[in-house]
């Protein structure tokens, strides 16, 4: 599918939404380029779902403009969008296929139910009643419904919520495939930092209804200036921690993978740390540099917002 090279897939300008005297989203501006897998990150209650509902025209906005591939009319812009907002609901007494066929009829335009089922890996269970579906299968059926009519933009609200690790991986792999092979653009709302970091190429961070950061994930991570962090493992953990505590410019910050000790280096390199530990008689079994994380950036962004 060829996207418009000029118009962004989604552009939100100055969006504000209030409920009575409470402002839920305030002067929010987001730009999502065609072909992006764009994360919309923030804690529960930050205003993410409200923003998605405004974009879809499900609730009115108090101020601001929204365009999808250059289209500003609320009815016309929905024709290029597929969405899963909150938990997808279906007729339990009907099969997965029958649910999609009913949804396709409501669309009022051509929709390939078999293709949608195939793309989410449900073709072999399409005849089963939805009441027999697992949570992961319901999530995939929701994605299949969103794909009816071949949308150009997918809006997804916590698409891996409630899934086990295997189900989460399946959904993430599917989204990558849809972007790579079908040319879709995905705008994915989540409160899971690791998910956004692993899946998305760009992120917008929302806190209490206000945008606090928006950038390529790689650029944001590169921009972080932090002390170098390493994970250190040793056969004798007690002796390791004692040696670390005696070293100047070394701070124990927690426990990493496989029980290794997380250490922030303020005044030495990992190589110098290794030499110092060996000199102290510590048999080092692992020394793993750790790069900056999106979690650090997020927490710093929220702290900055608190100070403003």
């Amino acid at each position: 599918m060829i996207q418009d090279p000029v118009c962004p897939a989604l552009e939100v300008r100055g969006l504000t939404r209030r409920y009575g005297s409470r402002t839920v989203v305030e002067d929010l501006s987001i730009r999502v380029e065609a072909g992006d897998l764009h994360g919309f990150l923030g804690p529960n209650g930050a205003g993410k779902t409200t923003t998605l509902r405004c974009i879809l025209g499900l609730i009115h906005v108090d101020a601001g403009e929204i365009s999808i591939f250059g289209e500003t009319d609320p009815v016309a812009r929905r024709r290029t969008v597929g969405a899963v907002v909150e938990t997808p609901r279906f007729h339990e007494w009907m099969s997965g296929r029958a649910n999609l066929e009913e949804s396709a009829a409501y669309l009022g335009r051509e929709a390939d139910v078999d293709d949608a089922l195939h793309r989410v890996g449900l073709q072999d269970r399409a005849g089963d009643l939805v009441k027999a579906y697992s949570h992961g299968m319901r999530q995939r059926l929701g994605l299949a419904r969103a794909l009816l009519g071949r949308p150009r933009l997918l809006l997804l609200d916590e698409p891996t919520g409630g899934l086990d690790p295997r189900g989460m991986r399946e959904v993430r792999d599917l989204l990558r495939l849809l972007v790579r092979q079908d040319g879709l653009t995905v705008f994915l709302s989540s409160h899971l930092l690791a998910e956004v970091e692993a899946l998305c190429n760009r992120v917008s961070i929302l806190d209490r209804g206000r945008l606090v950061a928006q950038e390529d994930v790689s650029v944001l991570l590169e921009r972080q200036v932090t002390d170098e962090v390493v994970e250190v493992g040793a056969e004798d953990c007690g002796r390791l921690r004692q040696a670390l505590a005696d070293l100047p410019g070394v701070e124990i910050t927690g426990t990493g993978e496989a029980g290794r000790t997380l250490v922030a280096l303020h005044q030495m390199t990992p190589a110098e740390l290794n030499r110092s530990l060996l000199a102290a008689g510590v048999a080092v079994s692992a020394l793993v540099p750790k790069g900056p994380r999106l979690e650090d950036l997020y927490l710093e962004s929220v702290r900055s917002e608190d100070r403003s």
Side-chain angles (χ1 to χ4, degrees):
M1 181 181 297
I2 298 175
Q3 303 279 16
D4 188 327
V6 178
C7 291
L10 169 66
E11 190 166 19
V12 176
R13 299 178 293 274
L15 174 64
T16 298
R17 167 66 185 179
R18 304 182 186 91
Y19 289 103
S21 60
R22 184 167 66 98
T23 301
V24 179
V25 179
E26 182 178 1
D27 195 26
L28 177 63
S29 294
I30 296 173
R31 183 182 175 101
V32 178
E33 301 296 343
D36 272 356
L37 217 166
H38 192 119
F40 189 36
L41 182 63
N44 291 328
K48 302 187 304 295
T49 299
T50 295
T51 300
L52 292 181
R53 290 183 172 277
C54 289
I55 291 170
L56 291 168
L58 300 177
I59 55 177
H60 77 273
V61 302
D62 293 297
E65 297 179 347
I66 299 166
S67 65
I68 295 176
F69 292 106
E71 180 60 68
T72 58
D73 178 75
V75 175
R77 73 185 185 222
R78 278 202 299 268
R79 293 182 185 137
T80 58
V81 178
V84 180
V85 179
E86 298 180 316
T87 303
R89 298 184 182 276
F90 303 97
H91 299 306
E92 300 280 322
W93 63 92
M94 294 168 57
S95 69
R97 180 186 299 280
N99 270 277
L100 292 192
E101 287 173 345
E102 182 179 70
S103 297
Y106 284 132
L107 280 176
R109 63 183 189 275
E110 183 179 352
D112 191 334
V113 170
D114 287 327
D115 178 68
L117 288 165
H118 179 77
R119 291 164 88 190
V120 302
L122 283 179
Q123 64 272 23
D124 294 335
R125 300 291 302 274
D128 294 357
L129 300 183
V130 168
K131 67 181 180 182
Y133 278 18
S134 67
H135 183 69
M137 292 172 66
R138 290 167 188 255
Q139 290 291 93
R140 284 192 281 162
L141 189 62
L143 279 172
R145 184 166 60 188
L147 292 169
L148 291 173
R150 292 281 182 170
R152 301 172 68 188
L153 170 67
L154 277 181
L155 300 181
L156 305 177
D157 189 13
E158 306 283 357
T160 61
L163 297 181
D164 60 23
R166 180 177 179 179
M168 293 173 72
R169 174 172 290 184
E170 289 175 351
V171 170
R172 291 171 183 170
D173 289 345
L174 172 61
L175 294 178
R176 292 188 187 100
L177 189 66
L178 291 171
V179 171
R180 185 172 66 251
Q181 290 191 357
D182 294 53
L184 265 68
T185 303
V186 176
F187 186 61
L188 183 152
S189 167
S190 179
H191 69 280
L192 301 176
L193 297 138
E195 175 171 81
V196 171
E197 183 173 356
L199 188 59
C200 299
N201 65 294
R202 192 168 173 83
V203 64
S204 297
I205 300 177
L206 192 70
D207 183 50
R208 289 172 294 181
R210 299 176 63 186
L211 188 71
V212 295
Q214 183 172 225
E215 188 60 271
D216 288 351
V217 172
S218 59
V219 172
L220 286 173
L221 294 177
E222 289 173 0
R223 191 177 295 160
Q224 282 185 267
V225 179
T226 62
D227 294 313
E228 187 157 10
V229 177
V230 296
E231 284 183 351
V232 186
E235 295 177 2
D236 188 335
C237 294
R239 188 169 186 176
L240 168 65
R241 284 185 168 259
Q242 182 59 53
L244 290 170
D246 292 339
L247 290 174
V250 174
E251 178 186 359
I252 298 174
T253 60
T255 302
E257 297 179 12
R260 295 191 289 260
T261 302
L262 272 177
V263 177
L265 304 180
H266 304 308
Q267 298 175 16
M268 68 170 60
T269 67
E272 291 170 337
L273 172 64
N274 187 49
R275 287 195 294 269
S276 297
L277 290 173
L278 290 174
V282 177
V284 176
S285 59
L287 200 156
V288 184
K290 306 295 288 183
R293 307 293 292 179
L294 187 58
E295 179 178 7
D296 302 322
L297 169 70
Y298 171 75
L299 292 174
E300 179 58 32
S301 296
V302 172
R303 283 195 293 268
S304 298
E305 184 69 10
D306 289 339
R307 293 192 294 265
S308 62

